[in-house]
Amino acid sequence: MTPRPPLILASTSRYRRELLERLRLPFDVVSPQVDETPRAGESPAALAVRLAAAKAAAVAALHPQAVVIGSDQVAELDGAPIGKPGTHERAVAQLRAMRGRSVVFHTAVAVQRAAIGYAGAALAPVTVRFRDLGDAEIEHYLRTEQPYDCAGSAKCETLGIALLAAIESDDPTALVGLPLIRTCALLREAGIDPLHA
């Protein structure tokens, strides 16, 4: 029986690491050195796919025998990308702009295995409808959770769920940062089946 190739997550995101741990596969984490600047006229969906692939490729070039997972998420409101706020003030502005609106979170995953020339990618869009939030609700949420490292200033897996009216997705972990259904499909194509020890 052929030994399973090493698995690497090309991300320093603790959210992605925690999600990948659900598959109960041993893996290493390597930080991808990738410029995340959007290109002129690039749509949020295209940006997410390009960055996921670039992260996987950067790490796969250093570890050609490994199966490498890259992922990226770009939130979109009215056709424009919404990034990680970084500060309380920017998070307040983001949540005010999104209240009562629908935001699409484009979560992309890419898997590469350089040794066999495999490169695959998939996009999992998630539509999130925000409640018509009051300023006091926004302030309470941000002071409690401090989600300044999350695109769209909210974590649906904790108190952020109270900000929302609905989540529409066919891959339930996509909103947290790694669409595991699509990840499993790509891993199988690359030679790792999570259900085969």
Side-chain angles (χ1 to χ4, degrees):
M1 186 167 155
T2 312
R4 184 164 56 209
L7 180 62
I8 297 176
L9 177 63
S11 173
T12 54
S13 163
R14 64 187 171 99
Y15 309 109
R16 291 191 179 104
R17 186 176 66 246
E18 288 167 3
L19 287 170
L20 189 56
E21 285 170 353
R22 293 186 188 185
L23 300 184
R24 301 183 180 203
L25 294 168
F27 67 93
D28 291 315
V29 173
V30 176
S31 175
Q33 302 302 312
V34 171
D35 179 3
E36 299 193 19
T37 307
R39 294 176 178 162
E42 188 172 34
S43 73
L47 174 61
V49 172
R50 179 176 63 80
L51 292 179
K55 291 174 183 180
V59 174
L62 302 173
H63 303 274
Q65 299 305 317
V67 173
V68 180
I69 300 169
S71 187
D72 198 79
Q73 182 180 75
V74 181
E76 175 182 4
L77 178 65
D78 296 333
I82 301 170
K84 298 173 185 174
T87 68
H88 181 81
E89 293 70 30
R90 282 203 286 270
V92 168
Q94 282 188 355
L95 289 175
R96 284 178 175 167
M98 296 185 299
R99 59 184 164 196
R101 311 276 310 281
S102 288
V103 177
V104 179
F105 288 78
H106 300 282
T107 308
V109 59
V111 173
Q112 296 197 14
R113 185 176 177 189
I116 63 169
Y118 176 79
L123 183 67
V126 181
T127 300
V128 175
R129 252 185 318 138
F130 282 81
R131 292 176 41 249
D132 191 6
L133 302 164
D135 287 348
E137 290 177 297
I138 290 172
E139 191 65 25
H140 174 78
Y141 171 70
L142 292 176
R143 293 292 179 197
T144 303
E145 193 118 279
Q146 300 182 10
Y148 308 129
D149 63 343
C150 298
S153 305
K155 296 183 194 177
C156 71
E157 64 272 29
T158 50
L159 181 60
I161 200 74
L163 304 172
L164 309 180
I167 298 173
E168 299 164 22
S169 174
D170 65 358
D171 204 332
T173 59
L175 187 55
V176 183
L178 185 65
L180 287 179
I181 292 174
R182 286 166 175 77
T183 300
C184 287
L186 294 170
L187 287 175
R188 286 191 293 269
E189 290 176 5
I192 293 179
D193 187 337
L195 294 178
H196 289 169

